[in-house]
Amino acid sequence: MMWHAGGLGHPGSQGTMDLRLPLQWFYSVAAVGATVAAVLAVVRLVHLWQGRAAAPEPLEDDVPGAAHGS
């Protein structure tokens, strides 16, 4: 639906209240963001399914039991 509102539906027919900017650009950015989020979610699910869960790697200077600070 966002792809339809972003460019194919009714381009340039609506604008923002104050600056009269076309809403088409904002819908397009939202559609791209939603698409990227969906693709990254699928990639994450594939990694989890394959058993490659993301785990933070310990830093080389970290010593178990050492306190951080000054």
Side-chain angles (χ1 to χ4, degrees):
M1 184 66 188
M2 289 196 327
W3 280 109
H4 178 70
L8 301 176
H10 37 276
S13 64
Q14 294 179 341
T16 59
M17 186 72 88
D18 294 330
L19 297 177
R20 307 276 188 231
L21 297 173
L23 289 178
Q24 171 186 4
W25 299 107
F26 297 103
Y27 285 132
S28 298
V29 170
V32 169
T35 303
V36 169
V39 168
L40 290 177
V42 169
V43 169
R44 174 78 172 133
L45 287 173
V46 168
H47 281 214
L48 288 174
W49 182 63
Q50 292 176 346
R52 295 187 301 177
E57 296 180 14
L59 298 175
E60 293 178 14
D61 61 344
D62 280 347
V63 178
H68 293 279
S70 55

